[in-house]
Amino acid sequence: MALTPDDVVTKQFQHVRFKDGFDPDEVDDFLDEIVVEWRKALEENAELKTKLAAYESGEAQPAAAAPSVDEAPAVEAPAPAATPAPAPAPVDATGPTTATAGIIELAQRLHDQHVAEGEAKKNQLISEAQAEVDRINNEAQAKHREEAARLERERNTLEARITELRNFERDYRTQLRGYIEGQLRDLDEKATSGHSTPVSAIGL
């Protein structure tokens, strides 16, 4: 199906997400200029075709009219050889066609550039979003490692404190037991010297 100026005027493009793109008014103005030039080219092409058809139909008609019967020939003389008329220059009908093809190519190139820029912008936004996700993940992992290291240090500190308290308790019990046993021995010695029942036998 051939592309017409009306197709350019009524063409609707889809909006590209995540893309700034061109100014829609400037694009519409440029397309209007393309449509005007295109219509001029089509009109010139149609006019040239009409002229060419008229020229071809004119060549088929007889070029010379029949002689009049009222005129009496005086002396028959050999008719001079007819000089062939120069052939008209061929009409170049490819000019408007070339211009039309150039306009179509320009419009297609503009569309391709618009799509390529939208694709590049989309890829850029996806890349930036992926980089942001990676950054957030790295920060979260770093915070997790830091928090785990802090908890490990606190655990080691608490375990060392518990060990210290257990050692203190053991030493304290040992010292307290030695002190009590020493006091009991002193009491036993005093009781023995006083001929009384030893304190250790009382069952404290």
Side-chain angles (χ1 to χ4, degrees), residues 4-60:
T4 64
D6 292 335
D7 295 334
V8 178
V9 173
T10 59
K11 177 65 178 177
Q12 298 291 331
F13 296 98
Q14 295 181 355
H15 293 283
V16 181
R17 299 180 62 187
F18 308 111
K19 182 181 185 303
D20 297 333
F22 297 103
D23 185 359
D25 294 335
E26 293 183 3
V27 175
D28 291 339
D29 293 340
F30 182 70
L31 290 177
D32 291 340
E33 294 178 4
I34 291 177
V35 170
V36 171
E37 295 299 327
W38 195 354
R39 284 175 175 169
K40 287 181 180 179
L42 291 177
E43 291 175 359
E44 293 176 359
N45 192 13
E47 183 179 356
L48 289 175
K49 287 181 179 179
T50 303
K51 291 181 179 180
L52 181 60
Y55 173 75
E56 291 176 351
S57 62
E59 279 186 342

Side-chain angles (χ1 to χ4, degrees), residues 83-113:
T83 304
V91 179
D92 186 8
T94 60
T97 305
T98 304
T100 303
I103 294 174
I104 296 175
E105 181 181 359
L106 178 61
Q108 184 64 38
R109 187 164 60 250
L110 179 63
H111 174 265
D112 294 342
Q113 181 180 0

Side-chain angles (χ1 to χ4, degrees), residues 115-179:
V115 173
E117 289 183 357
E119 188 70 18
K121 187 65 176 179
K122 181 193 71 174
N123 294 335
Q124 179 183 358
L125 291 175
I126 292 175
S127 178
E128 291 176 355
Q130 186 61 43
E132 183 67 15
V133 170
D134 294 340
R135 184 185 66 80
I136 294 174
N137 288 335
N138 292 334
E139 289 181 357
Q141 292 177 2
K143 289 181 179 179
H144 175 73
R145 290 192 296 268
E146 181 180 354
E147 184 68 16
R150 185 184 66 81
L151 293 176
E152 183 67 17
R153 289 193 299 269
E154 290 183 357
R155 186 176 69 85
N156 294 334
T157 301
L158 289 176
E159 289 180 351
R161 182 61 177 169
I162 291 173
T163 302
E164 180 181 355
L165 290 175
R166 285 176 178 175
N167 293 334
F168 174 79
E169 180 186 7
R170 185 177 62 253
D171 295 340
Y172 179 77
R173 287 178 178 273
T174 301
Q175 293 177 3
L176 182 60
R177 181 177 180 179
Y179 174 75

